[in-house]
Amino acid sequence: MHYIKAKSILSPNGGMNLYRGCSHGCIYCDSRSRIYNMDHDFEDIAVKENAIELLQKTLKGKREKCMIGTGSMTDPYIPLENDLNYIKKSLELIYRYGFGFTCITKSDLVLRDLELIKKINEKTKAVIQMTLTTYDEDLCRKLEPNVAGTFKRFEVLKKLNDNNIPTIVWLCPILPFINDTEGNINGIIDYCIDANVKGIICFGMGTTLREGNREYFYKKLDEDFPGLKDKYIKTYGNSYGLESPNSRRLMRIFKKRTEEHGIMNNPDEIFKYLHEFPKKESTRQTTLF
């Protein structure tokens, strides 16, 4: 890891990244792509040393409350967070200044901050988003080697539900010829039903590859799935979008099962829900009467 100075910490729509780079080791990670102009090794995580100071100044001066979101580029609950407590300090500020919170993670470390997340949710709104890609634990360890396994993440989702924290699952990416099976999709949806998730984000059954993450992905295929790289190259060439040959069948299963159990499955609807900041109770009462 190394420290950097940030000029700002929040994007116009409330997005926040405390770290750049990641140590989870997921073989498909798009954040490795060269398009993001990361000027250091991906595992050499850049820590924005003035992030908490910037966040306090920004939230204190921000007139309109909104949802503060993190995790789109780097999981906020990487192991470094155990020592640095940047996300925990951020949550304290988000609660103090009356904002909402949402994050995308694959880590059970999020439960460390459960009480803070509950306080935010009681005051405004908090939603935890969890990525689930692979039902089989052995396969999960190959695809996402340095992070909580899928069953552990399922237990996190159940714990959050027990504490009335709404959850969203990201069912992506689905890697052609690897986890694009009925058993995998049904297994993950079973977990989602059991954990009472509010919605599942799925953009179709497939993945994306571009310069930067493609090379790393193929390197890992050579290590753990000998011969599969050649099949990818033969099937997809240098395409950005790689749709599973089983996509239509798997999407039918996904839509049927989510609709049967009242789970949101439209990405636009879910993103609207995630960005929606709740009105104050007093405002709602004024409207009513």
Side-chain angles (χ1 to χ4, degrees), residues 127 166-169 192 195-200 262-265 270 273:
V127 185
T167 55
I168 298 293
V169 160
C192 292
N196 194 33
V197 305
K198 191 172 185 70
I200 304 176
I263 298 172
M264 285 194 293
N265 62 20
I270 296 171
Y273 165 73

Side-chain angles (χ1 to χ4, degrees), residues 24-29 106 133-147 150 153 173-180 184 216-217 220-221 224-225 228 232:
H24 285 345
C26 303
I27 73 169
Y28 50 73
C29 183
K106 293 184 180 118
T133 66
T134 312
Y135 184 73
D136 180 89
E137 293 294 324
D138 291 333
L139 182 56
C140 178
R141 278 189 286 273
K142 289 182 179 180
L143 303 183
E144 302 158 346
N146 306 323
V147 70
T150 301
R153 283 177 248 170
I174 299 301
L175 306 174
F177 319 121
I178 296 177
N179 61 348
D180 56 339
N184 186 51
Y216 186 81
F217 179 69
K220 291 299 177 181
L221 288 189
D224 294 320
F225 305 92
L228 192 53
Y232 264 77

Side-chain angles (χ1 to χ4, degrees), residues 142-198:
K142 289 182 179 180
L143 303 183
E144 302 158 346
N146 306 323
V147 70
T150 301
F151 183 75
K152 176 66 74 174
R153 283 177 248 170
F154 160 63
E155 291 183 317
V156 171
L157 289 168
K158 287 187 72 174
K159 181 77 171 177
L160 291 165
N161 181 64
D162 290 343
N163 285 272
N164 299 314
I165 307 297
T167 55
I168 298 293
V169 160
W170 287 71
L171 179 58
C172 60
I174 299 301
L175 306 174
F177 319 121
I178 296 177
N179 61 348
D180 56 339
T181 66
E182 288 189 28
N184 186 51
I185 301 306
N186 278 318
I188 292 172
I189 293 174
D190 286 343
Y191 278 161
C192 292
I193 293 167
D194 200 4
N196 194 33
V197 305
K198 191 172 185 70

